């Protein structure tokens, strides 16, 4: 089937960038990105490209090229569902907060609502593509919903999970390691797979497009994230061991990663991984394993999250102890709120957890992030702790205005801007004794002078 019109339900961090690239690379296909959030759609349509709801390096250039040519953003979900030959479901699949599986299972209510809507509105055959990350066998559930609500239409379901990472999304989409497409092993199923393969083939080499059955595709996405997160927890667990033994975690990480069988990616120690997906996808994997009676498998993966929580708490304690032991003014400047650099996304950012721990110890915080807005910081803190002490929080647009009044800085996100600060001047202006937490250690002025200010900025220069 030659696809002429695509609809993507969900204009978030995945739907927006992914559809922008599909539209850019397939100028003859109309791509309609729809969302029920009118503010978000207005932002995607905003004349000033700085106001796009997602910040990703390179995104605005692609949007500028394709928007209103063959890329459109709209709140008219029904209209574009009906118009499309192929519909991507790219809605959020958060961890359930109530009911069966609470705290572990993925909440599929948004995915299911899309399926119902598609069934209700459709008058012609459609290919439905699961873009959201979902538990294995979700496509079966989607099919059931579609068939039970609409018996006149042939719906083919594909799984096409997304592997982009925020901050590098445009590059990941442009040159993906692989595109994964799962579908039914039937004549119609294979035709549907071919239609999607054709869309990606306009820029992705065929050898990088992997086709599988539906269940393999769904499960591969969850487990790929689990593997990545597991590497981070492994290196973070060793960071504590290094601190006790005098080994240097960065040297150990380098030595491990130079083994070509292991590789160097995802071995950077941190205050713990953040982002909307690693935690929720592992919780979901644990839930699936446990539901199948695979308790040892569940426990194995759950440990990745236990170490991540431990790391966040361990670093919070370091800062709190530093303040108490040195009798410092209980005030910290937090640099960075996004869960990693080059994104405005703050979901599950380690900064939120560390800030909350500081607030619980009556330590006031000033927060600076180049891309995150004050309202988002407030939302994140409220979300974690509805009773948080607002008077202890101050969001600043310029980080060092009151620096002479501060003893402690904590760098929580590795923004390049932070690495490039003139740290020597900052340090000289700080109240003494001055301490800086670089996402790994707490260093004082004298120690940093010895190491050299160039080294500074999360030790990643
Ligand atoms: P998001 O929250 O940024 O966007 C989801 C959007 O879907 C929201 O704007 C919401 O308003 C909209 N939506 C929900 N239900 C809707 C409905 N019934 N009709 C219309 N709009 C609806 O989420 P995201 O980060 O883009 O993630 C989407 C999916 O992709 C998740 O399953 C996630 O696990 C997966 N994923 C995310 C990333 C990432 O980096 N963020 C990467 C790979 C995969
Ligand atoms: C991750 C995966 O990398 C993507 O492949 C996947 O598509 C996506 O999740 C998803 O499903 O949502 P993302 O969370 O956007 O992407 O960003 P990552 O680069 O994976 O970073 C996640 C967190 O791990 C960040 O907080 C980062 O600082 C941390 N991290 C990463 C480390 O602590 N150490 C590392 O070595 C690498």
């Amino acid at each position: 089937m030659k696809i002429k019109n695509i609809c993507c339900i969900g204009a978030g961090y995945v739907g927006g960038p992914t559809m922008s690239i599909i539209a850019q690379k397939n100028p003859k296909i109309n791509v309609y990105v729809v969302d029920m959030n009118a503010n978000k759609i207005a932002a995607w349509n905003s004349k000033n490209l700085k106001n796009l709801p997602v910040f990703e390096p390179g995104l605005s250039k692609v949007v500028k090229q394709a928007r209103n040519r063959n890329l459109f953003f709209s709140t008219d979900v029904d209209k574009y569902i009906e118009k499309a030959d192929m519909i991507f479901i790219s809605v959020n699949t958060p961890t359930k907060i109530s009911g069966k599986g609470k705290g572990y299972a993925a909440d599929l209510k948004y995915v299911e609502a899309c399926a119902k809507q598609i069934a209700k509105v459709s008058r012609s055959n459609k290919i439905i593509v699961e873009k959201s990350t979902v538990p294995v066998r979700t496509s079966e559930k989607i099919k059931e919903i579609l068939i039970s609500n609409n018996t006149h239409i042939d719906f083919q379901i594909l799984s096409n999970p997304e592997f982009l990472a925020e901050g590098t999304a445009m590059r990941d989409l442009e040159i993906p390691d692989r595109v994964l497409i799962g579908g039914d092993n039937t004549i119609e199923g294979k035709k549907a797979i071919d239609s999607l393969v054709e869309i990606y083939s306009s820029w992705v080499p065929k050898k990088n497009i992997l086709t599988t059955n539906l269940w393999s595709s769904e499960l591969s996405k969850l487990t790929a994230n689990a593997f990545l997160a597991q590497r981070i927890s492994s290196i973070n667990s060793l960071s504590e061991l290094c601190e006790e033994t005098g080994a240097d975690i960065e040297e150990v990480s380098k030595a491990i990663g130079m083994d070509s069988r292991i590789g160097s990616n995802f071995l950077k120690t941190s205050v713990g991984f953040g982002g909307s997906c690693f935690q929720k996808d592992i919780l979901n994997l644990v839930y699936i394993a446990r539901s199948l009676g695979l308790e040892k498998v569940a426990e194995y993966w759950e440990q990745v999250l236990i170490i991540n929580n431990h790391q966040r708490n361990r670093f919070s304690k370091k800062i709190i102890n530093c303040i108490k032991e040195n009798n410092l003014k209980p005030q910290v400047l937090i640099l960075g709120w996004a869960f990693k650099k080059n994104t405005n996304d703050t979901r599950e950012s380690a900064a939120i957890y560390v800030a909350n721990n500081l607030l619980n110890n009556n330590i006031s915080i000033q927060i600076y992030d180049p891309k995150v807005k004050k309202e988002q910081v407030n939302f994140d803190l409220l979300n974690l702790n509805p009773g948080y002490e607002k008077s202890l929080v101050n969001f600043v647009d310029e980080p060092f205005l009151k620096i002479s009044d501060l003893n402690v800085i904590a760098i929580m996100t590795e923004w390049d801007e932070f690495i490039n600060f003139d740290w020597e001047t900052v340090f000289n202006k700080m109240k003494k004794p001055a301490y800086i937490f670089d996402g790994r250690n707490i260093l004082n002025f004298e120690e940093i002078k010895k190491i050299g200010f160039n080294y500074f900025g999360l030790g990643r220069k």
Side-chain angles (χ1 to χ4, degrees):
M1 181 179 183
K2 191 105 189 132
I3 304 299
K4 293 200 185 91
N5 294 299
I6 288 176
C7 170
C8 172
I9 312 180
Y13 283 89
V14 168
T18 309
M19 291 304 126
S20 299
I21 287 278
I22 288 186
Q24 185 203 34
K25 305 291 185 187
N26 293 278
K28 293 204 172 125
I29 300 177
N30 286 322
V31 180
Y32 303 96
V33 189
V34 296
D35 203 293
M36 58 189 181
N37 182 332
N39 290 337
K40 205 175 265 189
I41 291 298
W44 278 112
N45 282 323
S46 154
K47 270 204 186 120
N48 184 348
L49 290 164
K50 285 198 173 134
N51 294 335
L52 296 183
V54 170
F55 171 73
E56 270 299 332
L59 172 64
S60 56
K61 200 170 139 210
V62 179
V63 171
K64 188 174 174 200
Q65 198 184 341
R67 195 175 60 183
N68 299 330
R69 177 190 74 181
N70 66 325
L71 173 67
F72 307 92
F73 295 92
S74 170
T75 50
D76 201 340
V77 179
D78 287 359
K79 177 174 169 189
Y80 293 109
I81 285 179
E82 170 41 17
K83 193 173 169 125
D85 323 298
M86 180 177 270
I87 301 169
F88 286 77
I89 300 180
S90 187
V91 298
N92 34 332
T93 47
T95 305
K96 276 180 103 168
I97 50 171
S98 60
K100 189 167 174 258
K102 174 184 169 185
Y104 282 91
D107 192 342
L108 294 178
K109 69 178 175 210
Y110 302 107
V111 171
E112 288 170 5
C114 291
K116 279 188 196 134
Q117 196 75 358
I118 293 169
K120 193 176 113 198
V121 173
S122 295
R123 301 275 171 273
S124 58
N125 294 348
K126 306 207 184 286
I127 297 171
I128 312 302
V129 186
E130 252 176 24
K131 189 51 127 174
S132 298
T133 304
V134 290
V136 55
R137 298 194 88 95
T138 298
S139 50
E140 206 168 40
K141 211 178 231 174
I142 295 180
K143 187 141 205 168
E144 261 169 42
I145 296 175
L146 291 168
I147 293 173
S148 61
N149 288 283
N150 189 333
T151 47
H152 315 293
I153 304 291
D154 177 50
F155 292 109
Q156 286 301 317
I157 322 281
L158 299 177
S159 157
N160 171 223
E162 186 48 62
F163 294 98
L164 68 80
E166 291 180 29
T168 53
M170 302 316 280
R171 193 203 62 200
D172 297 341
L173 289 165
E174 183 107 37
I175 13 173
D177 288 346
R178 77 316 207 173
V179 166
L180 181 57
I181 302 174
D184 273 339
N185 195 9
T186 57
I187 293 172
E188 287 310 312
K190 284 184 182 147
K191 276 191 197 158
I193 292 177
D194 288 345
S195 306
L196 189 51
V197 168
E198 196 182 327
I199 291 170
Y200 280 108
S201 309
S202 56
W203 81 98
V204 180
K206 278 259 169 56
K207 67 176 175 34
N208 293 50
I209 304 178
L210 180 66
T211 58
T212 65
N213 77 30
L214 279 162
W215 323 138
S216 308
S217 172
E218 289 174 335
L219 191 59
S220 300
K221 169 63 198 176
L222 273 191
T223 45
N225 271 0
F227 259 71
L228 291 169
Q230 178 230 44
R231 284 174 68 97
I232 304 171
S233 278
S234 296
I235 203 72
N236 281 343
S237 74
L238 295 179
S239 71
E240 193 171 12
L241 193 56
C242 283
E243 285 162 31
E244 294 299 320
T245 56
D248 180 319
I249 189 60
E250 292 202 2
E251 291 174 355
V252 172
S253 165
K254 188 169 179 189
I256 296 172
M258 279 174 78
D259 187 324
S260 59
R261 293 167 303 174
I262 298 173
S264 60
N265 290 328
F266 276 72
L267 286 184
K268 221 186 291 166
T269 186
S270 62
V271 191
F273 56 75
S276 61
C277 294
F278 280 173
Q279 177 169 299
K280 92 168 160 64
D281 291 349
I282 293 177
L283 285 169
N284 191 8
L285 189 62
V286 169
Y287 178 74
I288 294 170
R290 212 159 258 156
S291 314
L292 295 167
L294 309 176
E295 188 52 35
K296 289 288 169 211
V297 178
E299 276 173 21
Y300 175 78
W301 288 106
E302 196 157 27
Q303 197 60 35
V304 173
L305 297 176
I306 292 173
I307 287 290
N308 203 47
N309 290 335
H310 172 65
Q311 191 79 343
R312 295 192 292 224
N313 290 334
R314 199 164 80 76
F315 282 126
S316 306
K317 274 193 202 129
K318 274 191 186 214
I319 302 174
I320 295 162
N321 290 346
C322 171
I323 292 175
K324 287 192 177 151
E325 282 161 15
N326 297 293
N327 222 353
L328 306 177
K329 188 172 175 185
Q331 195 173 23
V332 174
L333 169 63
I334 292 184
L335 294 179
W337 194 257
F339 80 95
K340 63 185 284 199
K341 74 172 178 179
N342 290 335
T343 178
N344 59 344
D345 194 348
T346 65
R347 291 176 287 183
E348 291 300 324
S349 176
I352 308 170
Y353 291 88
V354 172
N356 186 51
N357 287 336
L358 298 181
L359 294 175
N360 286 341
N361 281 274
N362 264 328
I363 296 169
S364 70
I365 53 178
Q366 286 179 29
I367 299 155
Y368 169 78
D369 186 286
K371 289 288 170 199
V372 177
K373 297 199 168 79
K374 184 179 175 177
E375 296 70 30
Q376 185 63 44
V377 171
N378 183 38
F379 174 87
D380 292 335
L381 288 170
L382 270 179
N383 198 28
L384 186 61
N385 176 7
Y388 92 89
E389 187 48 62
K390 286 197 176 136
S391 65
L392 292 178
V393 182
N394 191 13
F395 187 86
V396 293
D397 292 326
E398 206 284 283
F400 302 127
L401 226 47
K402 293 192 179 154
I403 196 70
S404 57
D405 205 27
L406 278 165
N407 294 105
V408 185
I409 295 180
I411 306 175
M412 299 303 300
T413 315
E414 74 284 20
W415 284 101
D416 289 343
E417 174 178 327
F418 302 161
I419 295 173
N420 295 326
F421 280 151
D422 174 2
W423 282 107
E424 189 162 6
T425 306
V426 172
F427 254 105
N428 282 329
K429 285 189 183 161
M430 278 175 84
K431 192 175 160 106
K432 304 294 177 307
Y435 291 89
I436 189 143
F437 170 72
D438 73 347
R440 198 182 57 154
N441 287 314
I442 295 204
L443 301 162
N444 66 29
F445 189 58
E446 295 309 317
E447 284 163 334
I448 290 169
K449 256 203 315 208
K450 254 191 252 159
I451 303 169
F453 288 93
N454 272 351
Y455 167 85
F456 209 63
L458 293 180
R460 281 174 185 152
K461 198 159 176 169

